[in-house]
Amino acid sequence: MAEAVFDLQGVELVLPAADGPRRILSNVGFSLGAGEILTIVGASGTGKTSLLRILAGLATPTGGTVRFRGQAMDGPQDGVAIVFQDYGNALLQWRSVARNVALGVERELRGEALAARVTEALRLVGLERNANDYPWQLSGGMQQRVQIARAVAMRPAVLLMDEPFGALDAMTKATQQDELLHLRQATGVSVVFITHDIEEAVYLGDRVALLSGSPGSITLSFDVDLPFPRDQVATRELPRFVALRHDMHAAIRATGGHG
Amino acid sequence: MKYRDLFAGVGGLLVFFGLWQGLVSSGLVQYEYVPAPSVIARGLAGMAGGAEMWEEIGHTLMAALLGWAIACGAGTAIGVVLGLSPKTRRYTLASVEMLRPLPGIAFVPVALLLFGFSIQMELLVIVAPVIWPALVNSMGGVMAVSERLTDVARTLRLSALSTITTILLPAAAPAILIGARLALTLSLIMAVAAEMIGNPVGLGYAVVREQQAMHPDRMFGYVLIMGALGILLDAGLRGIARLLLPGEFRRLSIQGRA
C-alpha cells in the first residue's frame, strides 16, 4: 500500500457536557490508504460523527495523533472535503446548483476555468442539466449529489461522508451507492464513509471498521474481499457478502450493539 | 393571481371611499370638518397644480429616506457584529434592551435643543428609534444561520471575510430585509412626527398648517398623501429586494403559495 492518507493512533476525544466532561472516543486507530474506501459502521452514540469531524479538522482530539499525508493536523486541510448528512443545511439555498458547486474553488479559478471545473464535477454526479436550478427545486437525492459535486470540484484526496444517504429512500440510496463507487473509480479519491447500515458498509467498502461502545473505539476491522464492479443484486447475493454481513452483526451483538 | 389580489385590494378601497362619500353626501354623518372624498379630491387637485405640495413631499421623503439609510446602515452593521460575537452581545445587549423601548418622539425636545429647526433635528428623531428594528433583526438573522454553514465555510477553507460576505450575510438577508422594511415604515412616521411638533416643514407641518387654517379638505389630502407614500416606499423596497435576492424570493413566493 502506498503512503497512508490518514493515520490515526490512540485518538481520544473528551467533550464538555452538562454533567461534566464526557468521553466520546477512546483509543481509536486506523489508517486510510490512497484510493481506498473505508466504511465505518456504528450505532448512534458511538462517536461516528465526532470521528469524522476530527478527520475534517472541525474538532481537535484531546489525545493521540491524527496525521494527514504524514503531517499532524491543524484545522481543516486542503485536499480533505466533507459531505454532511443534512444537505438542506449544508447547501446555500440562495445560490444556484452551479454556484454552490463553485463555492470551494471560486477563489483560485475564474471565468472559463471555473465553469469547466463546475461542469466536470456536475457531470460526475449526473447533474449537468440542473446547473441553473436552485437546491430547493431538487429532490433530496439530487441535493445530496450537489453537495458531493461541491466536494469533488475541489479535487480532494479524501472525501469524508457522514451518513450521506441516511435520509434517502431505499431506491435512491442504491443508485447513490453505485454512483459513489463509480466516482471513486473515475477520480481515485479515498473515502471515509460513515453509516449505521451494515449492508451499506459491506457493499461500499474496501475495508469495514466497526465503531462501538461508549466511549467509542474500533472493535473490529476487516478487508471486504468482494469483487468489483459491485452490483446491487448480484453482490448482495454472494455467499461471501452474506457471511461478512453475518460476522458484522455477530460482532455488534457481542459488543453490546448500542454501547 | 397577483393582479386579482391587486384588484381585490383596490376594490376594497373603492368600497371604503364610496361608503364615506355616501354617508357624508346623504347627511347621515355630519361633522363640520369631515369633507366628502370628492371634496378632498378637489382640494388635492388644487394643490397638485402648485409647487408647494411637491416640495413638501420631497422634503419629507428626503428626510425619511436619509434617516432610514443612516439607521439601517448603522443598525445592520452593529447587528451583524453582535450576531457574530457572543462576547460583544454579553456586554451590550443589556444596554440595547434598555434603550430600545424609549419612544422616539421623546427625542424631539432633545433634538430641538441640539439642532434647532433643521434637517439634523429630524434625522435624530428618525434615527433614534429606527435603528432598533434594523439592529435586532440583523442580529437575529445572523445568529439563526445554521452552524452547518459555518462548518461548510471552514472545510472549504473560506477566509473570515468571505465567510461573512458569501455565507453569513446572504443567509441572514431575509431577516435583514424584514428589519429594513419595518424601519422604512417607521422612518416615514418619525419624519412626519418630527415635522408636526419640531421642524416646521414638509408634510407633517403641512397637516398642522391646514388644520389651523381650517382647510379640512387639504388636511385630509395630506393625510392621504402620507398613506400613499408609505405604500409606495414599501413597494419600492420590495422591488429592489426582489432584484437583489432573486433565488430567495422565488423560493419564498413558491412556498407562500403552496
Side-chain angles (χ1 to χ4, degrees):
Chain A
M1 192 186 292
E3 189 199 6
V5 179
F6 270 117
D7 189 40
L8 283 73
Q9 277 172 13
V11 168
E12 307 273 335
L13 182 66
V14 179
L15 291 180
D19 52 352
R22 184 175 297 162
R23 291 183 75 198
I24 309 289
L25 294 171
S26 169
N27 194 25
V28 172
F30 62 82
S31 72
L32 176 75
E36 187 181 27
I37 298 184
L38 170 67
T39 51
I40 298 178
V41 197
S44 8
T46 50
K48 298 189 301 280
T49 296
S50 297
L51 178 56
L52 208 68
R53 289 182 70 84
I54 288 176
L55 295 177
L58 292 171
T60 311
T62 43
T65 56
V66 180
R67 291 180 175 278
F68 173 64
R69 290 170 163 167
Q71 301 291 314
M73 293 262 296
D74 165 27
Q77 301 292 309
D78 280 334
V80 181
I82 183 164
V83 174
F84 296 99
Q85 179 178 10
D86 50 339
Y87 44 81
N89 288 324
L91 294 174
L92 313 189
Q93 297 294 333
W94 58 91
R95 278 192 175 213
S96 68
V97 166
R99 295 200 59 226
N100 261 285
V101 173
L103 187 62
V105 287
E106 64 192 6
R107 271 162 308 164
E108 67 238 40
L109 300 177
R110 291 268 182 280
E112 282 186 18
L114 178 63
R117 180 73 73 88
V118 168
T119 309
E120 172 195 286
L122 285 175
R123 193 170 294 138
L124 275 167
V125 299
L127 282 181
E128 60 269 36
R129 289 152 157 261
N130 300 91
N132 296 319
D133 290 341
Y134 284 90
W136 48 269
Q137 294 174 310
L138 306 178
S139 68
M142 289 164 93
Q143 289 190 52
Q144 193 55 291
R145 272 143 70 190
V146 176
Q147 219 198 147
I148 294 172
R150 180 169 74 190
V152 167
M154 301 183 77
R155 298 201 175 143
V158 192
L159 205 51
L160 306 174
M161 307 183 90
D162 186 6
E163 300 198 38
F165 312 143
L168 306 178
D169 64 87
M171 283 198 303
T172 312
K173 192 171 174 175
T175 316
Q176 303 278 303
Q177 289 167 349
D178 289 334
E179 284 184 5
L180 178 62
L181 290 174
H182 175 253
L183 179 76
R184 191 268 301 259
Q185 202 185 2
T187 62
V189 68
S190 311
V191 179
V192 178
F193 188 102
I194 286 199
T195 176
H196 59 255
D197 178 343
I198 294 169
E199 290 217 12
E200 181 172 61
V202 173
Y203 183 76
L204 286 175
D206 297 311
R207 203 149 50 92
V208 179
L210 173 64
L211 191 68
S212 64
S214 179
S217 58
I218 289 183
T219 51
L220 178 72
S221 166
F222 56 82
D223 291 331
V224 180
D225 46 0
L226 294 169
F228 285 95
R230 291 183 183 166
D231 179 275
Q232 289 290 348
V233 179
T235 300
R236 287 173 192 269
E237 285 172 351
L238 291 175
R240 188 66 191 140
F241 182 90
V242 178
L244 288 172
R245 196 184 60 183
H246 175 94
D247 290 352
M248 240 15 228
H249 272 293
I252 288 174
R253 200 170 296 162
T255 55
H258 293 258
Chain B
M1 185 77 184
K2 246 187 156 167
Y3 283 108
R4 215 168 63 192
D5 289 350
L6 188 64
F7 282 133
V10 172
L13 269 182
L14 287 179
V15 169
F16 171 75
F17 282 117
L19 275 176
W20 181 355
Q21 182 78 39
L23 286 172
V24 175
S25 334
S26 66
L28 278 171
V29 169
Q30 255 184 326
Y31 288 100
E32 200 173 339
Y33 296 117
V34 178
S38 56
V39 179
I40 298 172
R42 268 200 297 281
L44 270 174
M47 293 193 293
E52 192 182 27
M53 183 190 88
W54 299 109
E55 282 165 16
E56 284 156 352
I57 291 176
H59 178 87
T60 301
L61 200 58
M62 191 262 297
L65 283 176
L66 202 56
W68 174 76
I70 296 171
C72 273
T76 304
I78 299 171
V80 168
V81 171
L82 290 184
L84 286 173
S85 157
K87 202 169 189 176
T88 323
R89 273 207 299 283
R90 198 157 52 234
Y91 284 103
T92 53
L93 221 51
S95 315
V96 168
E97 289 309 318
M98 201 186 72
L99 292 172
R100 201 153 67 98
L102 289 182
I105 203 83
F107 285 90
V108 170
V110 180
L112 274 174
L113 262 186
L114 283 175
F115 298 117
F117 298 135
S118 65
I119 183 80
Q120 287 95 322
M121 174 263 154
E122 280 190 60
L123 288 178
L124 177 58
V125 174
I126 296 169
V127 170
V130 167
I131 195 167
W132 304 118
L135 188 156
V136 171
N137 278 283
S138 51
M139 178 179 79
V142 171
M143 285 169 69
V145 174
S146 160
E147 275 184 40
R148 182 64 74 229
L149 284 177
T150 323
D151 286 345
V152 167
R154 287 183 65 197
T155 54
L156 295 182
R157 319 285 316 274
L158 301 187
S159 66
L161 182 65
S162 72
T163 301
I164 292 175
T165 55
T166 59
I167 295 199
L168 288 172
L169 285 182
I176 292 174
L177 198 68
I178 288 172
R181 271 184 78 185
L182 293 171
L184 189 56
T185 317
L186 190 56
S187 290
L188 185 62
I189 294 172
M190 294 316 298
V192 168
E195 290 163 357
M196 288 176 98
I197 57 174
N199 195 22
V201 285
L203 292 173
Y205 176 67
V207 175
V208 176
R209 183 190 64 219
E210 298 304 335
Q211 177 234 335
Q212 287 169 349
M214 308 260 186
H215 288 149
D217 54 339
R218 292 179 161 216
M219 180 185 75
F220 273 103
Y222 276 114
V223 172
L224 292 183
I225 289 174
M226 292 174 198
L229 219 50
I231 294 171
L232 287 177
L233 283 176
D234 190 55
L237 182 59
R238 288 173 59 172
I240 292 169
R242 201 163 284 144
L243 290 176
L244 291 178
L245 307 172
E248 193 60 30
F249 261 87
R250 276 168 63 205
R251 179 162 77 111
L252 294 178
S253 61
I254 285 174
Q255 284 174 349
R257 237 157 259 180

